[in-house]
Amino acid sequence: MDSTWIAWTSAVVAAASAGGALASLVVTVREGRALRRNTEFLAHRDQWWKRWSWVAERAVSDDESAQAAASIMATALQGRRWTTDDDRYMYDAVRDRFPDTVTQEENRDLETE
């Protein structure tokens, strides 16, 4: 009886350990995926900020060639497949605030290419 009790106890402990290991694996995989999504989001936001900061700096410049560069870049950013609602918002804000910088004519030219 004593060895049977030890065998059952060992089996229960082994099963509990295996269950704990499986639960740990599931949690690790879920946390890894969440971390990857968060990292991708932060990288996207950082790149978004750099792009639109570049456009804004040139849009407010007194240099006409810098304003032309801002126009081209804003229009190009607005028309990419990865464009988000935030990109569209910034494009509209730049266009509304600096109508001479971003024109609808330029936007139509890029859409036809």
Side-chain angles (χ1 to χ4, degrees), residues 39-90:
T39 301
E40 289 172 357
F41 173 77
L42 291 174
H44 172 76
R45 291 307 270 179
D46 182 53
Q47 290 301 313
W48 178 90
W49 179 256
K50 287 177 184 177
R51 289 189 298 264
W52 286 105
S53 294
W54 188 94
V55 169
E57 287 173 8
R58 281 145 187 86
V60 299
S61 173
D62 293 333
D63 181 10
E64 288 184 18
S65 63
Q67 291 177 0
S71 175
I72 292 167
M73 185 64 159
T75 304
L77 288 172
Q78 192 272 339
R80 300 291 147 229
R81 64 176 172 77
W82 40 258
T83 299
T84 65
D85 290 338
D86 291 336
D87 291 305
R88 288 192 247 342
Y89 174 83
M90 287 300 295

Side-chain angles (χ1 to χ4, degrees), residues 6-22:
I6 292 173
W8 278 105
T9 303
S10 297
V12 169
V13 169
S17 296
L22 181 60

